[in-house]
Amino acid sequence: LREEFDDFARNPASYRTYTQDRTNLEYKGANLGFVSNIKANVFHLKTAREDAGDGADQNKATGANLNLDSRIFDRHTIKYGINYRHQKNHPGTVTAAANESKTDYGIYAEGIWDFHPVTLTTGLRYDHFKMRTSGRSEVSDGQINPSIAAIYDLNEQVSFNAGLSYATRSPRLYEAMLA
């Protein structure tokens, strides 16, 4: 919530406390057999906003990511992995944002093909979400998103590139702090 965009007629300026608690455990490694590089993390993020005399509005998110790279023939790279995130709103008072939650996950693979002076990238990602709205209805959907690009290195200073990528985004939760 940015205070300069608030509706002061409904929500007059007052003393407010905003806190953010972030925990991230990360691992990075290299040269693990077929896996050239690995980057993995798990995280927890809790934000809270408290008005004087009001309960604290909280948003919580937990998740994990696993990103792997594998080199093929010392020229090409395959990048692949998974992403997971779960979010939940906890308004200080019963509002439209009560009981909203959402889970997102994605799996992906991308190839980086070095055919010097041309580099070709190809990718495929699947994203899925499941959301429980404040009206207690549940909705879920998934989408496959492809991408392709080419880079032509004319020389060390000049290159040309073209690409086409698709991306989807899941619906956002209602902001507990705006409720």
Side-chain angles (χ1 to χ4, degrees):
L1 180 68
R2 294 180 56 183
E3 298 296 333
E4 64 267 29
F5 296 121
D6 208 351
D7 180 354
F8 292 109
R10 289 186 314 138
N11 190 12
S14 63
Y15 179 77
R16 295 183 175 119
T17 304
Y18 177 80
T19 57
Q20 185 178 72
D21 177 14
R22 181 183 313 200
T23 304
N24 185 53
L25 177 62
E26 186 171 298
Y27 172 79
K28 292 180 183 180
N31 302 322
L32 304 168
F34 181 71
V35 177
S36 306
N37 292 303
I38 181 173
K39 184 177 177 184
N41 76 312
V42 292
F43 66 88
H44 175 76
L45 174 63
K46 178 178 146 184
T47 57
R49 176 182 173 230
E50 188 169 5
D51 289 339
D54 221 358
D57 298 319
Q58 298 179 6
N59 293 35
K60 293 181 182 178
T62 55
N65 300 289
L66 176 64
N67 303 298
L68 305 165
D69 294 359
S70 294
R71 295 283 292 165
I72 301 172
F73 307 119
D74 290 327
R75 291 187 65 185
H76 312 296
T77 303
I78 304 291
K79 294 178 171 277
Y80 49 101
I82 58 173
N83 312 113
Y84 171 82
R85 180 182 176 102
H86 178 76
Q87 295 176 259
K88 187 162 183 159
N89 283 341
H90 299 278
T93 58
V94 177
T95 66
N99 300 314
E100 283 198 336
S101 64
K102 181 175 73 161
T103 301
D104 292 287
Y105 71 85
I107 56 175
Y108 70 92
E110 176 185 24
I112 303 170
W113 314 102
D114 181 4
F115 302 112
H116 189 71
V118 175
T119 302
L120 179 66
T121 63
T122 56
L124 197 61
R125 180 176 177 91
Y126 176 74
D127 289 295
H128 187 271
F129 76 90
K130 183 175 183 181
M131 182 174 177
R132 182 176 182 206
T133 67
S134 56
R136 301 194 189 278
S137 64
E138 288 192 10
V139 61
S140 66
D141 195 12
Q143 184 76 34
I144 294 176
N145 298 295
S147 66
I148 188 166
I151 303 168
Y152 174 68
D153 295 318
L154 184 62
N155 56 45
E156 288 187 22
Q157 291 79 27
V158 178
S159 63
F160 300 96
N161 65 56
L164 177 64
S165 299
Y166 290 90
T168 57
R169 184 174 178 176
S170 64
R172 293 182 62 169
L173 290 181
Y174 192 77
E175 294 285 345
M177 294 173 207
L178 294 175

